[in-house]
Amino acid sequence: MNAFQPLNVRRFQQKAQVVTPDTIYWDRLAKPELLKEHTTIDYIDFSPSDPCNFVLTCSVRVQIYNLVTKLVVKNLSRFQKTAYGATFRQDGRLLVAGDEEGHVKLFDTTSRNILRLFKGHKAPVHRTFFTADKLHLASFADDKSVRLWDVANEKVVQTYEDAHTDYIRAGAMHPQASHMFISGGYDGKINLYDTRAEQAITQTLDHGSPVESMLFLPNGSIFITAGGTQVRVWDLISGSRLLTTMSQHHKTITCLRLGSDGRRLLSGGLDRHVKIYDVSTYKTVHTLTYPNAVVSLGVAAKDQAVVAGMVDGLVSIKRMIVDSKPSHLKQIKASQRHKRSQKTTRPSTTVNVDHVITERRKTPKLQEFDHHLRKFNYKKALDCVCTPTNLEQFPENIVAVVTELQHRSALQAALTDRKDITIIRFINFLCDHLGEVRFMRTLLNAASAVMDVFENNTFNYNKQMVAALERLRATMESEVQLTCQLLEIKGALEMIIGGAIDNNETSSKPIYTQPNPTKMHPSKAASNYVVIVD
């Protein structure tokens, strides 16, 4: 007779172990390739025109790296003091950066020349961004002011003095409307600007903690701010209403980035983690871990690479493995497993022997409820597994026993002629875990068995038992209603998708040729600027 095998509890695995499409996708990021700079990496930005180039802002240098070779392509070292927040223009031809002197410098990425030198701030300028029309740029400084500059004339268009009561370290430009932008300060406030409006600041919001980073979604209707341990999502169309708050970091969040063409949001923090959120649900879908606090982040187009800058000057570059490589990786892993198996197997002896003694496999240890199931003590098995520890921390053990009892058609027998407190505890467990996908089918059958047990009995119940049964009934009705609603949504989505597939009409796009932009020449102030070396 075969020995009794213990219950397989592994089928009821934890939710964190479930493999999702995002887990498979982001696990394709290769092992990090590291670069080392001297000090903290202030800002990282990828070039829109050449996705293989990205710019690092560190100390008094702004360096453009090639993603493939990891070598410096351009070194923009025209800074007397620390440089901050170098960003590309939308076409990748120009690059702007602020510095500790309060200057804003515009560079030509092909010649490394300073084309424009904007002076006016009285404190370090930490963030600079181009507007959507590429004709202006905004600067956010520690003098609590925001300035809008004309790129061609090298003049200030508008100045917002005392926009905040503390340092301004974050800002973002509207991706479609060139007249709208936002700023975030260390006073915890968020200001919305509209250059067409009479008031300098159209609206002020409260983030609740110093704002470190902010950005707009591609459509421009939603903007996201990060500060403290919270990421907040605001709806610009509905009067900047707060949509949701995400608190997945346990230390300060320092940077925000968009990935997957705006469908994913990445946040890096001092807790050494980069959290990846689904923009449609704002739930965490994956986590990247780094060796030190993350202070800057960059994501290449089509998620080709994720570059993270850390507080100690370390730069981690994780490139996405292309679709043609997984088969090759499988061969490598298979060969490694074969080598390990050869090392673990014992060398075969060449001596002829009469008998070969094989090692017996150890019988797995049985738990207490396994012993009761082995002796067909179904009530004791159910009582043994329904402990407070299993009820709170290991519900999969209870579900495994219930599944085994259902296979043996013994669940009703295990629930008959029991104390009220035992039945109430079991009903409460069903109500608490009935909505979990991994337990739903088993617990629905168990709830039906509970109903069958009490349907056959005609004695009066106490108030606690009646309340527990009412709660079970309400829980099952809510699950049925939810299932019906999901089926309705599924039918509506199938109709929409089917109509979209059947519609083979192609929209005619106007064909036009864009004239070549005229080359910008350095201004007089930029030509006369000299870096004095001690």
Side-chain angles (χ1 to χ4, degrees):
M1 180 182 294
N2 295 330
F4 181 83
Q5 296 295 326
L7 294 183
N8 182 13
V9 187
R10 289 177 297 175
R11 74 181 74 176
F12 305 106
Q13 58 185 355
Q14 297 294 329
K15 292 181 180 179
Q17 299 176 353
V18 177
V19 179
T20 63
D22 280 281
T23 304
I24 298 173
Y25 179 77
W26 293 105
D27 280 343
R28 291 168 53 194
L29 290 173
K31 292 184 178 180
E33 301 174 81
L34 302 178
L35 300 174
K36 189 66 174 74
E37 294 290 342
H38 299 290
T39 58
T40 301
I41 309 299
D42 177 71
Y43 202 77
I44 299 174
D45 192 32
F46 272 88
S47 173
S49 59
D50 189 355
C52 291
N53 288 345
F54 62 94
V55 59
L56 289 181
T57 308
C58 175
S59 185
V60 295
R61 293 179 300 177
V62 174
Q63 295 177 321
I64 301 177
Y65 281 85
N66 185 277
L67 181 61
V68 178
T69 62
K70 314 299 182 300
L71 299 177
V72 178
V73 179
K74 294 286 189 305
N75 187 0
L76 310 177
S77 57
R78 302 291 300 276
F79 292 92
Q80 188 72 34
K81 295 183 179 181
T82 306
Y84 298 109
T87 55
F88 287 99
R89 197 170 71 172
Q90 289 85 334
D91 55 4
R93 297 171 58 87
L94 299 179
L95 185 144
V96 64
D99 63 10
E100 195 173 352
E101 294 180 294
H103 299 162
V104 179
K105 299 175 183 177
L106 184 69
F107 294 89
D108 186 354
T109 56
T110 58
S111 62
R112 297 182 296 179
N113 292 331
I114 298 181
L115 299 179
R116 297 289 184 269
L117 181 63
F118 303 96
K119 297 181 179 180
H121 285 290
K122 301 177 182 178
V125 180
H126 280 264
R127 292 294 176 262
T128 53
F129 301 99
F130 287 94
T131 57
D133 57 5
K134 308 175 188 176
L135 302 178
H136 302 85
L137 60 88
S139 57
F140 308 86
D142 283 353
D143 59 2
K144 309 171 188 177
S145 69
V146 178
R147 293 176 183 259
L148 192 66
W149 307 87
D150 189 322
V151 174
N153 299 328
E154 200 179 35
K155 294 181 179 179
V156 61
V157 177
Q158 206 155 1
T159 302
Y160 303 93
E161 295 288 350
D162 296 329
H164 293 266
T165 58
D166 205 338
Y167 296 156
I168 305 176
R169 297 290 176 87
M173 314 303 292
H174 197 283
Q176 298 178 4
S178 58
H179 56 272
M180 296 184 66
F181 58 95
I182 55 178
S183 68
Y186 272 15
D187 56 357
K189 303 299 181 182
I190 304 165
N191 290 336
L192 280 76
Y193 306 86
D194 190 341
T195 57
R196 305 171 303 175
E198 295 181 358
Q199 296 181 353
I201 301 173
T202 58
Q203 195 172 4
T204 300
L205 306 172
D206 187 9
H207 181 84
S209 55
V211 181
E212 298 284 350
S213 182
M214 51 187 12
L215 53 80
F216 277 93
L217 292 187
N219 57 7
S221 61
I222 292 176
F223 64 93
I224 304 172
T225 60
T229 58
Q230 292 184 344
V231 177
R232 296 196 172 192
V233 183
W234 310 84
D235 189 354
L236 183 63
I237 295 178
S238 63
S240 302
R241 178 174 59 91
L242 179 62
L243 293 180
T244 185
T245 300
M246 298 173 286
S247 301
Q248 300 297 326
H249 294 266
H250 61 271
K251 288 187 179 181
T252 302
I253 302 170
T254 56
C255 48
L256 294 175
R257 281 295 179 183
L258 290 176
S260 301
D261 297 328
R263 296 189 301 272
R264 295 293 180 268
L265 172 69
L266 289 81
S267 67
L270 300 181
D271 56 358
R272 303 185 298 110
H273 294 307
V274 171
K275 302 288 183 178
I276 303 176
Y277 311 88
D278 187 348
V279 173
S280 60
T281 60
Y282 297 107
K283 292 184 178 180
T284 306
V285 296
H286 196 70
T287 302
L288 303 176
T289 305
Y290 290 89
N292 210 334
V294 178
V295 294
S296 56
L297 193 65
V299 182
K302 299 180 181 179
D303 302 330
Q304 297 181 31
V306 176
V307 181
M310 282 157 268
V311 69
D312 59 349
L314 196 66
V315 181
S316 171
I317 303 174
K318 294 184 178 182
R319 299 184 61 189
M320 187 68 73
I321 300 175
V322 296
D323 296 337
S324 59
K325 288 187 177 180
S327 59
H328 180 58
L329 290 178
K330 289 181 180 179
Q331 294 178 1
I332 295 175
K333 292 180 180 179
S335 62
Q336 291 177 349
R337 286 196 298 267
H338 179 66
K339 291 179 180 179
R340 286 196 297 266
S341 63
Q342 286 181 345
K343 291 181 180 179
T344 54
T345 54
R346 296 180 178 179
S348 58
T349 178
T350 57
V351 180
N352 296 327
V353 295
D354 295 333
H355 301 283
V356 178
I357 300 176
T358 59
E359 295 182 359
R360 291 185 177 182
R361 296 181 60 184
K362 295 183 179 179
T363 305
K365 185 178 180 180
L366 299 180
Q367 297 191 25
E368 188 176 355
F369 56 80
D370 287 321
H371 289 289
H372 292 302
L373 289 174
R374 185 179 182 180
K375 299 177 181 179
F376 305 101
N377 295 329
Y378 301 134
K379 293 183 179 180
K380 291 184 179 181
L382 190 60
D383 292 339
C384 177
V385 77
C386 290
T387 60
T389 303
N390 287 333
L391 289 171
E392 295 179 2
Q393 301 179 7
F394 305 104
E396 58 272 10
N397 292 336
I398 302 176
V399 178
V401 173
V402 172
T403 304
E404 181 66 20
L405 293 176
Q406 289 175 354
H407 288 326
R408 300 188 185 191
S409 301
L411 183 58
Q412 293 188 16
L415 295 173
T416 306
D417 299 332
R418 307 301 300 274
K419 293 181 179 180
D420 291 347
I421 187 172
T422 304
I423 299 297
I424 292 173
R425 184 171 55 195
F426 185 72
I427 291 176
N428 291 335
F429 172 79
L430 295 179
C431 295
D432 293 339
H433 298 277
L434 192 62
E436 295 191 32
V437 178
R438 52 180 178 159
F439 302 151
M440 183 175 293
R441 185 181 298 275
T442 302
L443 296 187
L444 280 175
N445 294 331
S448 178
V450 172
M451 294 297 184
D452 293 339
V453 169
F454 285 90
E455 183 181 8
N456 296 330
N457 296 329
T458 58
F459 56 87
N460 296 326
Y461 310 124
N462 55 28
K463 294 181 179 180
Q464 291 81 3
M465 180 66 70
V466 173
L469 292 174
E470 286 291 336
R471 183 187 176 196
L472 180 60
R473 180 186 61 81
T475 304
M476 295 184 68
E477 286 181 354
S478 64
E479 291 297 328
V480 171
Q481 293 177 0
L482 178 61
T483 304
C484 294
Q485 293 174 1
L486 292 176
L487 289 175
E488 292 177 359
I489 296 175
K490 179 182 177 183
L493 290 176
E494 288 178 350
M495 292 179 61
I496 295 173
I497 295 173
I501 294 175
D502 295 337
N503 185 12
N504 295 324
E505 297 180 0
T506 57
S507 60
S508 59
K509 297 182 179 180
I511 300 175
Y512 62 91
T513 57
Q514 183 178 1
N516 294 328
T518 58
K519 187 174 181 179
M520 186 179 295
H521 297 283
S523 64
K524 184 177 180 181
S527 301
N528 296 333
Y529 181 76
V530 178
V531 178
I532 301 175
V533 181
D534 294 336

